[in-house]
Amino acid sequence: LMNCINNSFQELKRDFRVACFSQVKNSILMWSHYAENHTGFCIEYDFSHSPLKQHLHPVQYTKERKFIPGTFANSDGAMANHIIYEAALHKFEGWKYEEEWRCVFHRQNLNPFPFDISRYYFDVHNYITAVYLGAKASEKDCEKICAHYRGTDVKVFKMELQPDYYRLMPEEIGNST
């Protein structure tokens, strides 16, 4: 039985992809967890005119895991997909500060990378509105990002830790137009 469950789980991992986004760009915890201790960057998107918008849903934060009935594999494809989709939109309540949104896709609805057909993507580069560099981002990385977006509508910011509060504030460093 455990072998069967493990095989089903591996098949799900092969077939589904999850893209995660957050409404929060100034969380000290998130910059510490996800951006290599404030040295990385955060990309801001506007999906209001994107086909991705219909697939984007807020994560539900709960104490209990979303129950997936053992019979879901016997469901027709659409029902099984719905059960998996719903489960992917749940997360432990301790992560609520992330204010996460997710898109869940079956790989058949995504584009395979030309150089690696085992990986898939949904093209989002046309929806980028801003890039936020971490407070500890190197000067070289700041210059590269600013140069990359120069002449576009994408704004570039660097996050600055406020001296009197535990708070990050964006400071524009590259006006692209």
Side-chain angles (χ1 to χ4, degrees):
L1 179 64
M2 287 308 291
N3 244 0
C4 183
I5 292 171
N6 191 34
N7 289 341
S8 293
F9 183 68
Q10 293 306 318
E11 189 174 319
L12 291 174
K13 285 175 65 175
R14 277 193 306 276
D15 289 345
F16 287 88
R17 299 295 185 266
V18 179
C20 304
F21 303 91
S22 173
Q23 292 183 166
V24 182
K25 62 180 168 259
N26 61 349
S27 166
I28 291 174
L29 285 175
M30 288 177 58
W31 278 98
S32 298
H33 294 159
Y34 300 119
E36 296 199 33
N37 197 28
H38 301 259
T39 62
F41 60 92
C42 168
I43 300 174
E44 179 179 272
Y45 299 94
D46 178 359
F47 291 129
S48 60
H49 302 292
S50 165
L52 190 65
K53 181 181 177 184
Q54 68 186 2
H55 300 284
L56 198 56
H57 298 283
V59 166
Q60 304 299 307
Y61 298 96
T62 61
K63 288 181 182 181
E64 292 107 21
R65 288 181 183 265
K66 179 73 175 170
F67 177 71
I68 299 176
T71 58
F72 90 95
N74 298 332
S75 305
D76 66 22
M79 180 54 81
N81 287 350
H82 178 74
I83 292 167
I84 293 161
Y85 190 84
E86 282 295 311
L89 294 176
H90 286 76
K91 196 170 181 178
F92 172 60
E93 67 182 2
W95 297 102
K96 191 172 185 163
Y97 69 90
E98 291 184 340
E99 298 182 42
E100 188 175 340
W101 288 65
R102 290 182 177 176
C103 292
V104 182
F105 290 102
H106 193 282
R107 70 179 177 176
Q108 71 188 21
N109 297 325
L110 299 171
N111 304 309
F113 278 105
F115 53 85
D116 183 354
I117 60 169
S118 68
R119 298 179 62 155
Y120 300 85
Y121 72 96
F122 190 93
D123 191 0
V124 295
H125 82 274
N126 288 329
Y127 307 104
I128 298 172
T129 56
V131 176
Y132 298 83
L133 290 137
K136 297 179 184 176
S138 71
E139 190 62 37
K140 182 179 177 183
D141 287 344
C142 292
E143 289 171 9
K144 280 183 183 178
I145 296 289
C146 286
H148 182 79
Y149 288 106
R150 192 169 291 121
T152 72
D153 291 333
V154 176
K155 296 186 181 313
V156 180
F157 299 86
K158 186 167 184 189
M159 300 306 283
E160 299 291 335
L161 185 60
Q162 300 302 289
D164 50 350
Y165 294 98
Y166 291 111
R167 179 175 58 194
L168 291 167
M169 296 293 291
E171 182 178 309
E172 191 166 353
I173 61 170
N175 193 326
S176 49
T177 54

